[in-house]
Amino acid sequence: SDRAPSSAVRASVQGCTLHDASYLRPLLLRGPALRLVALLASISDAPRPSLARLLRPSAARELACMLYEPGAWPSGAVAPVRILAFRDGQGRGGAPAGAAAGEAAPGAFPGTHATGQDSIRLLIFVHAAAVAQATRILQHAAASAFPTPNQAA
């Protein structure tokens, strides 16, 4: 009957624990950091200071929050998500992976022209049961945040 949390700590000294997270699916967003953070602010319950920490120039930042239907907070909860943020161009002389300086990053939203230090990649991990709904919400929010030239006219 060794069920207390301290028993897990004791056991971790002698072995390891693996967590099978295969039930989570990653969704990738890439584009200008400030615009992606504003996009997340419109569809999640993450506090603005926590979202701002995603912009710090470290190797990676992680944030857990709840994803919502646009404009439906708090009743429109979709799923808990974990966001992992990577700054593009870090350690690459300012150019995003796969792009020369001044070019749009591969996978960036059309019309964003994400370049250099202002570009960020967000991996949003969501439960497999909510992937379709989360993808729809992210696509809708991205279309609003990053209108194509035809949409802007």
Side-chain angles (χ1 to χ4, degrees):
S1 71
D2 212 6
R3 296 182 182 171
S6 59
S7 66
V9 172
R10 278 193 305 276
S12 71
V13 173
Q14 299 171 350
C16 71
T17 302
L18 298 176
H19 177 110
D20 178 8
S22 61
Y23 55 88
L24 295 176
R25 300 293 184 264
L27 302 173
L28 175 67
L29 295 179
R30 176 184 260 170
L34 292 175
R35 291 176 83 183
L36 286 180
V37 166
L39 179 150
L40 289 176
S42 72
I43 58 172
S44 77
D45 65 353
R48 292 254 180 195
S50 297
L51 289 171
R53 281 193 290 276
L54 294 176
L55 301 178
R56 290 187 182 159
S58 66
R61 295 276 174 186
E62 187 172 353
L63 172 67
C65 60
M66 182 67 71
L67 187 67
Y68 288 87
E69 289 283 348
W73 182 89
S75 61
V78 173
V81 296
R82 185 164 298 276
I83 302 165
L84 188 58
F86 298 93
R87 292 188 67 75
D88 277 343
Q90 196 158 14
R92 295 184 187 96
E103 291 181 358
F109 294 112
T112 62
H113 304 293
T115 60
Q117 295 301 321
D118 66 342
S119 183
I120 193 169
R121 289 176 289 152
L122 300 175
L123 277 174
I124 301 174
F125 293 92
V126 63
H127 192 280
V131 166
Q133 192 173 7
T135 299
R136 180 185 51 77
I137 289 168
L138 290 167
Q139 287 174 337
H140 180 300
S144 298
F146 302 101
T148 62
N150 294 341
Q151 291 173 323

Short mmCIF file of all heavy atoms in Angstrom, two decimals, residues 72-99:
data_model
loop_
_atom_site.label_atom_id
_atom_site.label_comp_id
_atom_site.label_asym_id
_atom_site.label_seq_id
_atom_site.Cartn_x
_atom_site.Cartn_y
_atom_site.Cartn_z
N ALA A 72 -16.16 32.43 -27.49
CA ALA A 72 -17.06 31.61 -26.67
C ALA A 72 -16.50 31.29 -25.30
O ALA A 72 -16.89 30.30 -24.69
CB ALA A 72 -17.41 30.33 -27.42
N TRP A 73 -15.57 32.10 -24.80
CA TRP A 73 -15.05 31.86 -23.46
C TRP A 73 -16.08 32.30 -22.45
O TRP A 73 -16.70 33.35 -22.64
CB TRP A 73 -13.75 32.65 -23.28
CG TRP A 73 -13.11 32.43 -21.94
CD1 TRP A 73 -12.23 31.47 -21.63
CD2 TRP A 73 -13.33 33.19 -20.75
NE1 TRP A 73 -11.87 31.57 -20.31
CE2 TRP A 73 -12.54 32.62 -19.75
CE3 TRP A 73 -14.13 34.28 -20.42
CZ2 TRP A 73 -12.51 33.10 -18.44
CZ3 TRP A 73 -14.11 34.76 -19.14
CH2 TRP A 73 -13.30 34.18 -18.15
N PRO A 74 -16.37 31.62 -21.40
CA PRO A 74 -15.78 30.38 -20.93
C PRO A 74 -16.58 29.12 -21.30
O PRO A 74 -16.14 28.02 -21.04
CB PRO A 74 -15.78 30.56 -19.41
CG PRO A 74 -17.03 31.33 -19.14
CD PRO A 74 -17.18 32.24 -20.34
N SER A 75 -17.74 29.29 -21.91
CA SER A 75 -18.60 28.13 -22.15
C SER A 75 -18.21 27.30 -23.36
O SER A 75 -18.66 26.17 -23.50
CB SER A 75 -20.06 28.57 -22.29
OG SER A 75 -20.19 29.44 -23.39
N GLY A 76 -17.38 27.81 -24.25
CA GLY A 76 -17.04 27.10 -25.48
C GLY A 76 -15.73 26.35 -25.44
O GLY A 76 -15.01 26.31 -26.43
N ALA A 77 -15.41 25.73 -24.30
CA ALA A 77 -14.15 25.00 -24.18
C ALA A 77 -14.12 23.83 -25.14
O ALA A 77 -15.10 23.12 -25.32
CB ALA A 77 -13.97 24.51 -22.75
N VAL A 78 -12.97 23.64 -25.80
CA VAL A 78 -12.80 22.56 -26.76
C VAL A 78 -11.92 21.45 -26.17
O VAL A 78 -12.32 20.29 -26.13
CB VAL A 78 -12.17 23.09 -28.06
CG1 VAL A 78 -11.82 21.96 -29.01
CG2 VAL A 78 -13.11 24.08 -28.71
N ALA A 79 -10.72 21.82 -25.73
CA ALA A 79 -9.79 20.82 -25.20
C ALA A 79 -8.62 21.51 -24.52
O ALA A 79 -8.24 22.62 -24.91
CB ALA A 79 -9.27 19.94 -26.33
N PRO A 80 -8.04 20.83 -23.54
CA PRO A 80 -6.77 21.36 -23.02
C PRO A 80 -5.68 21.13 -24.06
O PRO A 80 -5.69 20.13 -24.78
CB PRO A 80 -6.52 20.52 -21.76
CG PRO A 80 -7.33 19.29 -21.95
CD PRO A 80 -8.47 19.63 -22.86
N VAL A 81 -4.77 22.09 -24.16
CA VAL A 81 -3.67 21.98 -25.10
C VAL A 81 -2.37 22.33 -24.39
O VAL A 81 -2.36 23.00 -23.37
CB VAL A 81 -3.84 22.89 -26.34
CG1 VAL A 81 -5.05 22.48 -27.16
CG2 VAL A 81 -3.94 24.35 -25.94
N ARG A 82 -1.28 21.86 -24.95
CA ARG A 82 0.05 22.21 -24.48
C ARG A 82 0.76 22.83 -25.69
O ARG A 82 0.82 22.22 -26.75
CB ARG A 82 0.79 20.99 -23.98
CG ARG A 82 2.13 21.31 -23.38
CD ARG A 82 2.67 20.18 -22.55
NE ARG A 82 1.84 19.84 -21.40
CZ ARG A 82 1.88 20.46 -20.22
NH1 ARG A 82 2.70 21.47 -20.05
NH2 ARG A 82 1.12 20.07 -19.23
N ILE A 83 1.26 24.03 -25.50
CA ILE A 83 1.90 24.78 -26.59
C ILE A 83 3.40 24.80 -26.35
O ILE A 83 3.86 25.17 -25.27
CB ILE A 83 1.36 26.21 -26.66
CG1 ILE A 83 -0.16 26.19 -26.86
CG2 ILE A 83 2.06 27.00 -27.76
CD1 ILE A 83 -0.82 27.52 -26.59
N LEU A 84 4.15 24.41 -27.35
CA LEU A 84 5.60 24.45 -27.31
C LEU A 84 6.05 25.46 -28.36
O LEU A 84 5.71 25.32 -29.54
CB LEU A 84 6.18 23.07 -27.59
CG LEU A 84 7.67 22.87 -27.40
CD1 LEU A 84 8.10 23.21 -25.97
CD2 LEU A 84 8.04 21.43 -27.71
N ALA A 85 6.76 26.49 -27.95
CA ALA A 85 7.17 27.58 -28.85
C ALA A 85 8.66 27.51 -29.12
O ALA A 85 9.47 27.35 -28.20
CB ALA A 85 6.82 28.92 -28.24
N PHE A 86 9.02 27.65 -30.40
CA PHE A 86 10.41 27.72 -30.85
C PHE A 86 10.55 28.96 -31.71
O PHE A 86 9.74 29.20 -32.58
CB PHE A 86 10.78 26.51 -31.72
CG PHE A 86 10.68 25.19 -31.04
CD1 PHE A 86 9.52 24.45 -31.11
CD2 PHE A 86 11.76 24.69 -30.33
CE1 PHE A 86 9.42 23.23 -30.49
CE2 PHE A 86 11.67 23.47 -29.71
CZ PHE A 86 10.50 22.73 -29.78
N ARG A 87 11.60 29.72 -31.49
CA ARG A 87 11.85 30.89 -32.33
C ARG A 87 12.59 30.44 -33.57
O ARG A 87 13.60 29.77 -33.49
CB ARG A 87 12.63 31.95 -31.58
CG ARG A 87 11.76 32.53 -30.46
CD ARG A 87 12.31 33.70 -29.77
NE ARG A 87 12.45 34.93 -30.48
CZ ARG A 87 11.46 35.76 -30.81
NH1 ARG A 87 10.23 35.43 -30.58
NH2 ARG A 87 11.71 36.90 -31.38
N ASP A 88 12.08 30.79 -34.74
CA ASP A 88 12.76 30.50 -36.00
C ASP A 88 13.99 31.38 -36.11
O ASP A 88 14.02 32.50 -35.61
CB ASP A 88 11.84 30.77 -37.20
CG ASP A 88 10.92 29.61 -37.48
OD1 ASP A 88 11.18 28.50 -36.98
OD2 ASP A 88 9.93 29.80 -38.20
N GLY A 89 14.99 30.86 -36.78
CA GLY A 89 16.19 31.64 -37.02
C GLY A 89 17.16 31.63 -35.86
O GLY A 89 18.25 32.16 -35.97
N GLN A 90 16.78 31.04 -34.75
CA GLN A 90 17.67 31.02 -33.60
C GLN A 90 18.87 30.13 -33.91
O GLN A 90 18.72 28.97 -34.28
CB GLN A 90 16.93 30.48 -32.39
CG GLN A 90 17.65 30.77 -31.12
CD GLN A 90 16.70 30.74 -29.94
OE1 GLN A 90 15.59 30.27 -30.05
NE2 GLN A 90 17.14 31.25 -28.82
N GLY A 91 20.05 30.69 -33.82
CA GLY A 91 21.25 29.95 -34.10
C GLY A 91 21.50 29.76 -35.59
O GLY A 91 22.37 29.04 -36.00
N ARG A 92 20.73 30.46 -36.42
CA ARG A 92 20.88 30.32 -37.88
C ARG A 92 21.14 31.67 -38.53
O ARG A 92 20.78 31.89 -39.66
CB ARG A 92 19.62 29.70 -38.49
CG ARG A 92 19.35 28.30 -38.03
CD ARG A 92 18.14 27.78 -38.80
NE ARG A 92 17.73 26.51 -38.28
CZ ARG A 92 16.78 26.33 -37.39
NH1 ARG A 92 16.14 27.36 -36.89
NH2 ARG A 92 16.46 25.13 -36.98
N GLY A 93 21.69 32.59 -37.79
CA GLY A 93 22.00 33.89 -38.37
C GLY A 93 20.77 34.72 -38.70
O GLY A 93 20.82 35.61 -39.50
N GLY A 94 19.64 34.42 -38.05
CA GLY A 94 18.45 35.22 -38.23
C GLY A 94 17.51 34.75 -39.30
O GLY A 94 16.39 35.17 -39.36
N ALA A 95 17.93 33.86 -40.19
CA ALA A 95 17.02 33.38 -41.24
C ALA A 95 16.31 32.14 -40.78
O ALA A 95 16.90 31.27 -40.17
CB ALA A 95 17.81 33.07 -42.51
N PRO A 96 15.00 32.04 -41.02
CA PRO A 96 14.27 30.85 -40.64
C PRO A 96 14.80 29.62 -41.36
O PRO A 96 15.38 29.74 -42.44
CB PRO A 96 12.83 31.14 -41.08
CG PRO A 96 12.77 32.60 -41.29
CD PRO A 96 14.17 33.04 -41.63
N ALA A 97 14.58 28.46 -40.77
CA ALA A 97 15.02 27.22 -41.39
C ALA A 97 14.44 27.10 -42.79
O ALA A 97 13.25 27.28 -42.99
CB ALA A 97 14.59 26.03 -40.54
N GLY A 98 15.27 26.84 -43.76
CA GLY A 98 14.81 26.65 -45.12
C GLY A 98 14.55 27.93 -45.89
O GLY A 98 14.01 27.89 -46.99
N ALA A 99 14.88 29.07 -45.32
CA ALA A 99 14.63 30.33 -46.02
C ALA A 99 15.87 31.21 -45.95
O ALA A 99 16.55 31.25 -44.95
CB ALA A 99 13.44 31.08 -45.40
#
